[in-house]
Every structure is written in structure tokens, then in C-alpha cells.
Amino acid sequence: MEGTICSIRSILCEVDAGGQMYTCKARGRLIRSDTGESKPLAVGDRVVFTPTGGREGVIEKALPRRTRLSRASPRDRRTEQVIVANVDQLRIVASVRRPPLTAGIIDRYVIAGHAGGLDPVLCINKVDLVDPAELQPFIGVLRQLGYTVFAASVQTGLAIEGLRRAMGGKARVVTGEAGVGNCSVRSCIA
């Protein structure tokens, strides 16, 4: 059977096979395979598995990835750590204040998105905390570079409907620094 990994807990993967959930272990040869990655399986991977009874199974192989969001492994900078696979859009959330806007972090996320074949969409959250004119130079540069940028406020609802429309039925991953409102944005656009 084929399915998509929805979550990974230690050595077990929850696999969605068309609405039926299976708890699966991966074959030893799959775990030991030399993929150049810290872990051979990631959330979003399409896999082939064999049911072993009830709602359990064994993952036989991972299918080729369309896209991925990855970083260098913290333990070995030469090893890739895939965070999520087979999504279409990378929703990058940053905040204007608390924590302050950090262009370098946004740049790293955009580069990682492009490297993995993802479409980066930026959400600058907490714009209710500043004068909108303060943001225009930064947002203007990003838009001139061709990026979709939303100046949003979860508190006031500003741009939340636009964020929903921008999803357009795409599978997406939401990322950003701690405290920028990732969870708030994710719950508002879900």
C-alpha cells in the first residue's frame, strides 16, 4: 500500500493511506541506507508499506520527494536534515516587534525554500504594533524581488483572509522564529 507520513515518534511513523491511519515501523535496511541525510524519513514523505495486522505496518521504501524543507544537521554540518517533504508552499512568519524583525532569518528561510523547490510566501505579523510607513521599504524590496508578502495582524484580523486565499489548496508548512505568531497565524488560516 502507499501512504503519506503524518507524524514521526521515535521509531514509529503514522501513515495516512487514503483516510486510514496506520502505525508503521521502517525496515532496518531503510533506516541504515546511506542517503546523506540524518534520517531517511520525514513528515510528508510518500511511502510504500505492508500492513501487518490491525492498523499496523512496515514501511518498505520511501518514494522520491517532489520538494523538501531541510537544513544542515546540528550534529554534522555535512549531513542534511529534512524537516518536511512534498509540500508546495513555505509560509514564513516574522514579526515586526516582540521579537523584532530579522531580515537575515527571513533570508535563510527563503533560501532553504528555494533550494527545496518550495514557493516562499512571507507573512509579517504584528503590524498593529508599528506605523505602517516603517515597513514599506522592507516590504517593497521583497515585493520587487517577486515575493508575495502579507503585512498582517492576528490581533486585528488584517490580511488574514488574503493569507487564506494565497493557499489556494496547496500543501504548506508554516515556519518562523519563536514568538512571531506561527501558531496564531496557522490557526487563523486553517
Side-chain angles (χ1 to χ4, degrees):
M1 294 179 68
E2 286 188 22
T4 302
I5 296 178
C6 296
S7 69
I8 299 175
R9 296 182 326 261
S10 185
I11 61 169
L12 298 176
C13 299
E14 293 297 320
V15 177
D16 180 353
Q20 298 288 331
M21 296 300 292
Y22 289 84
T23 300
C24 298
K25 292 181 183 178
R27 287 260 181 238
R29 69 178 179 275
L30 180 61
I31 298 300
R32 290 186 301 273
S33 66
D34 184 13
T35 62
E37 299 172 18
S38 61
K39 296 179 181 177
L41 297 173
V43 171
D45 271 333
R46 297 281 304 154
V47 294
V48 175
F49 70 98
T50 301
T52 57
R55 294 273 183 236
E56 296 180 352
V58 176
I59 297 173
E60 305 290 344
K61 72 175 184 175
L63 299 173
R65 293 177 174 141
R66 268 186 315 106
T67 62
R68 71 185 188 291
L69 178 62
S70 64
R71 66 179 185 175
S73 171
R75 292 189 187 111
D76 179 0
R77 305 301 291 167
R78 297 167 295 177
T79 303
E80 180 182 29
Q81 180 181 22
V82 177
I83 299 163
V84 67
N86 299 319
V87 294
D88 304 306
Q89 192 179 84
L90 174 60
R91 185 66 52 88
I92 303 164
V93 181
S95 74
V96 177
R97 300 271 189 276
R98 294 186 241 150
L101 186 62
T102 309
I105 297 277
I106 293 170
D107 290 346
R108 286 198 292 268
Y109 284 127
V110 166
I111 291 166
H114 283 302
L118 299 169
D119 176 27
V121 173
L122 293 101
C123 173
I124 310 298
N125 192 22
K126 303 183 184 182
V127 297
D128 54 306
L129 300 177
V130 297
D131 176 358
E134 249 183 86
L135 292 175
Q136 287 314 315
F138 181 71
I139 291 174
V141 167
L142 292 170
R143 287 182 176 152
Q144 283 178 347
L145 291 171
Y147 295 108
T148 302
V149 182
F150 292 91
S153 169
V154 171
Q155 290 295 328
T156 67
L158 178 67
I160 299 302
E161 192 54 43
L163 281 164
R164 277 192 199 106
R165 283 192 305 271
M167 291 185 306
K170 295 179 178 181
R172 73 213 172 278
V173 62
V174 178
T175 190
E177 288 183 280
V180 298
N182 293 330
C183 293
S184 298
V185 169
R186 188 173 33 243
S187 65
C188 284
I189 62 176

